[in-house]
Each structure stands twice: as structure tokens, then as C-alpha cells.
């Protein structure tokens, strides 16, 4: 479907940039190393403790922890937390103002801890008994590299230390590789290269009924946990699809895309050692003569 360019610009020019800034991590002390970690554990406690109308994607945009206004755009939580593993348990040991990891004041941190956790503080630390889940951080490995980044906070590394926690207690520690080579699988270490691979298949597919159906559009293509192409849908809401497409046209375009991509087998990407699905967006433009152009970002 060929959409007026003004409609596309109206969709793109939205006030998202304010909240799209890359975010600084928390830190975790593990075996005497202080390592950046992208696991919002204190934030979970704060959400349980009080209602917060300033939430963003389930998280909160706050002032700095000392109450001053205007926290950094790349630290919308208003603080950074420092955690430490001791024996088989996880603790919060410090709460610091943004970007003060190298010169923070221990007494100020103690004050912040008291204001947030109160009587939960024991021996100048807080047992993370509210958290059950999996923590990960990059392993020390000369070949380590970042596989994926959501552009804001979460990062996935090729090699990660993964720690399973139940109510603050360590259940399991393992070293994981977040990439699996499949025999004859297509490499996907670089996310951007996947768009070109998908487009090449679409371009070389024997499209039918181009005189009846215009399939020029933006498509969200899901690569499943097994590395195969799964769901394909257009990047519009259900209401927009009903408005701009006939049912026959939409079904024909989706079926054609699925046929074009059905035999692809990619390698497997994991998160914290567990295979994940991944959405890739491509945009195609089909000329009247049948030539297909790649309009993907």
C-alpha cells in the first residue's frame, strides 16, 4: 500500500526522543570485580512500595535521589544502585546520584539507603528479598562482544555470567554463550545485515497478481526461538489495516511474504542463555514494472 508521505512523517515526528536516550547502568560487585549491570532491581522495590504516575515502559522517570530537579536524560531513574553478592545472597550496598560512581560519598549513600529502605537495612546493606529472577552481566572474555542493544538500556553480550535468584538467594551460577551456530544457518551476529538477507529473498520471489494487489509497505518479521521465520504482519494497527486494505489484499501480501521467507534458517540468538524471538522491520516498494526496492531504514 502506497501511503502519502505526509502521513509517514506525522507518524515519525513524535515526542519520543526525550525518553530514548541511552541509560547508564547499575553496578554489581561479583568476585571483587565491579561490573555494569542492566537489571532494574531497586526499581522493582520502588514500584511495589508506592504508586508512581510518572512511569515509562513500566519504569519511572524521577528527579535525582537527593530531591533536586533536572536529572540527566541518560539517567531517568535519578539514581544508580550498587549491588554485591555475599556468600549465597544479593544485597544493595549503595545508592548514588547519577554519574558519581568514582567519587560518591559513603555517608550520602547511607542517607539515601535509609530514605528508601528504612528498617530493611541490616549491617549497612539491604537483602534483596523482593527479587526473583535472572541477573546477567558480560563475562570476562577476550572474544566478548555486544550482540544486541535496545538503544536505551538492555544489552545482550555474546558471553555472559548468568545468576538465577529466588527471593534474594542465589540458586545457580552459570557461564552462557548467547549465540548458537546452526548447520547451514544464516549468520545474524550483526542485526542490520538481517534486513538485507530478508529483502533479497523478497526481491527474488516470484510475486503474483501485482496488477491486482499493491503490497508496497512496511513489514514486521519475527524470527522465532528456533531461528526460523514465524509471524509476519504489517506495521500498522488492526484498525489501520481494516481502513487501508481489503481482506483479500492483506492476506495475499502476507501469504506472499511468508512464501518468500519460509525456507530461511538463521542461527540462534539468546538472552541470558535462553533463545529469544526477534522482530526485524523491512520496507519494500514495488514499482509498476514489478521491480522491488528496499526502503528499509
Amino acid at each position: 500500500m502506497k501511503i502519502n508521505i505526509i502521513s509517514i512523517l506525522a507518524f515519525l515526528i513524535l515526542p519520543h526522543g526525550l525518553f530514548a536516550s541511552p541509560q547508564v547502568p547499575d553496578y554489581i560487585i561479583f568476585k571483587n570485580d565491579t561490573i555494569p549491570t542492566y537489571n532494574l532491581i531497586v526499581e522493582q522495590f520502588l514500584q511495589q512500595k508506592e504508586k508512581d504516575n510518572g512511569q515509562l515502559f513500566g519504569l519511572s522517570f524521577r528527579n535525582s535521589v537527593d530531591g533536586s530537579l533536572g536529572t540527566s536524560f541518560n539517567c531517568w531513574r535519578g539514581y544508580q544502585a550498587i549491588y554485591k553478592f555475599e556468600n549465597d545472597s544479593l544485597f544493595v550496598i549503595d545508592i548514588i546520584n547519577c554519574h558519581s560512581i568514582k567519587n560518591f560519598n559513603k555517608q550520602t549513600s547511607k542517607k539515601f539507603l535509609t530514605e528508601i529502605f528504612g528498617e530493611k537495612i541490616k549491617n549497612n546493606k539491604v537483602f534483596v528479598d523482593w527479587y526473583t529472577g535472572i541477573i546477567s552481566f558480560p563475562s570476562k572474555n577476550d572474544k566478548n562482544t555486544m550482540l544486541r542493544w535496545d538503544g536505551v538500556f538492555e544489552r545482550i553480550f555474546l558471553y555472559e555470567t548468568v545468576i538465577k535468584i529466588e527471593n534474594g538467594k542465589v540458586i545457580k551460577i552459570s557461564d552462557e554463550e548467547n549465540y548458537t551456530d546452526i548447520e547451514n544457518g544464516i549468520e545474524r551476529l550483526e542485526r542490520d545485515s538481517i534486513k538485507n538477507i530478508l529483502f533479497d529473498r523478497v526481491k527474488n520471489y516470484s510475486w503474483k497478481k501485482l496488477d491486482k494487489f499493491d503490497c508496497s509497505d512496511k513489514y514486521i518479521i519475527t524470527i522465532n526461538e528456533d531461528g526460523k521465520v514465524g509471524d509476519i504482519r504489517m506495521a500498522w494497527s488492526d484498525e489501520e489495516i481494516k481502513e487501508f486494505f481489503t481482506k483479500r489484499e492483506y492476506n495475499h501480501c502476507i501469504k506472499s511474504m511468508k512464501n518468500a521467507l519460509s525456507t530461511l534458517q538463521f542461527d540462534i540468538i539468546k538472552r541470558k542463555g535462553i533463545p529469544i524471538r526477534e522482530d526485524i522491520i523491512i520496507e519494500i516498494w514495488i514499482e509498476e514494472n514489478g521491480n522491488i526496492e528496499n526502503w528499509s531504514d
Side-chain angles (χ1 to χ4, degrees), residues 53-93:
N53 295 324
Q55 289 191 347
L56 171 70
F57 307 126
L59 308 175
S60 300
F61 186 85
R62 294 186 172 82
N63 295 325
S64 60
V65 72
D66 63 2
S68 61
L69 297 174
T71 186
S72 168
F73 282 138
N74 64 358
C75 189
W76 38 251
R77 287 169 293 150
Y79 68 89
Q80 288 176 275
I82 301 177
Y83 308 94
K84 185 176 183 180
F85 283 102
E86 292 185 2
N87 299 320
D88 62 347
S89 299
L90 178 63
F91 298 89
V92 183
I93 62 169

Side-chain angles (χ1 to χ4, degrees), residues 182-200:
I182 300 295
E183 185 176 359
N184 299 320
I186 300 170
E187 181 181 296
R188 55 193 286 215
L189 289 170
E190 298 293 335
R191 178 183 168 90
D192 288 344
S193 66
I194 302 174
K195 293 183 180 181
N196 293 329
I197 294 167
L198 295 172
F199 174 75
D200 285 343

Side-chain angles (χ1 to χ4, degrees), residues 42-264:
V42 167
E43 197 69 19
Q44 291 188 21
F45 175 81
L46 291 171
Q47 289 177 7
Q48 293 174 9
K49 181 180 178 182
E50 59 186 16
K51 293 182 179 179
D52 189 339
N53 295 324
Q55 289 191 347
L56 171 70
F57 307 126
L59 308 175
S60 300
F61 186 85
R62 294 186 172 82
N63 295 325
S64 60
V65 72
D66 63 2
S68 61
L69 297 174
T71 186
S72 168
F73 282 138
N74 64 358
C75 189
W76 38 251
R77 287 169 293 150
Y79 68 89
Q80 288 176 275
I82 301 177
Y83 308 94
K84 185 176 183 180
F85 283 102
E86 292 185 2
N87 299 320
D88 62 347
S89 299
L90 178 63
F91 298 89
V92 183
I93 62 169
D94 286 297
I95 298 290
I96 63 176
N97 268 322
C98 299
H99 308 290
S100 64
I101 181 66
K102 293 182 179 180
N103 57 3
F104 75 93
N105 183 288
K106 191 69 177 178
Q107 290 302 314
T108 303
S109 172
K110 183 177 180 180
K111 177 188 173 198
F112 295 160
L113 281 174
T114 301
E115 290 177 353
I116 294 172
F117 295 105
E119 295 181 355
K120 288 184 70 67
I121 301 173
K122 307 293 182 184
N123 298 321
N124 297 317
K125 57 191 177 184
V126 180
F127 177 47
V128 185
D129 57 0
W130 65 89
Y131 182 76
T132 294
I134 298 175
I135 289 178
S136 66
F137 46 84
S139 302
K140 281 189 172 181
N141 189 310
D142 292 339
K143 297 181 179 180
N144 209 355
T145 185
M146 187 170 66
L147 295 178
R148 295 292 186 269
W149 177 38
D150 64 7
V152 179
F153 195 74
E154 185 176 48
R155 290 164 168 81
I156 299 175
F157 291 85
L158 178 58
Y159 299 103
E160 290 184 335
T161 298
V162 176
I163 304 177
K164 183 178 181 181
I165 295 173
E166 186 173 319
N167 298 123
K169 290 284 188 179
V170 175
I171 304 300
K172 180 182 178 182
I173 300 177
S174 60
D175 291 317
E176 302 289 347
E177 181 176 351
N178 284 325
Y179 190 90
T180 299
D181 287 302
I182 300 295
E183 185 176 359
N184 299 320
I186 300 170
E187 181 181 296
R188 55 193 286 215
L189 289 170
E190 298 293 335
R191 178 183 168 90
D192 288 344
S193 66
I194 302 174
K195 293 183 180 181
N196 293 329
I197 294 167
L198 295 172
F199 174 75
D200 285 343
R201 283 298 183 98
V202 170
K203 181 180 180 179
N204 294 318
Y205 176 68
S206 298
W207 286 80
K208 299 178 176 60
K209 300 182 180 180
L210 290 178
D211 57 330
K212 294 183 178 180
F213 302 122
D214 180 10
C215 294
S216 300
D217 218 299
K218 185 176 290 187
Y219 295 84
I220 303 173
I221 299 165
T222 300
I223 301 176
N224 285 336
E225 292 88 344
D226 60 2
K228 295 182 179 179
V229 173
D231 187 37
I232 299 177
R233 57 205 181 278
M234 288 185 179
W236 302 100
S237 68
D238 292 341
E239 291 75 17
E240 289 169 326
I241 290 171
K242 289 180 181 179
E243 179 180 355
F244 295 120
F245 290 89
T246 66
K247 187 174 182 180
R248 285 188 63 202
E249 182 178 32
Y250 183 81
N251 289 341
H252 171 78
C253 293
I254 295 299
K255 182 179 180 180
S256 298
M257 291 289 289
K258 287 184 175 180
N259 288 340
L261 303 174
S262 62
T263 61
L264 291 176

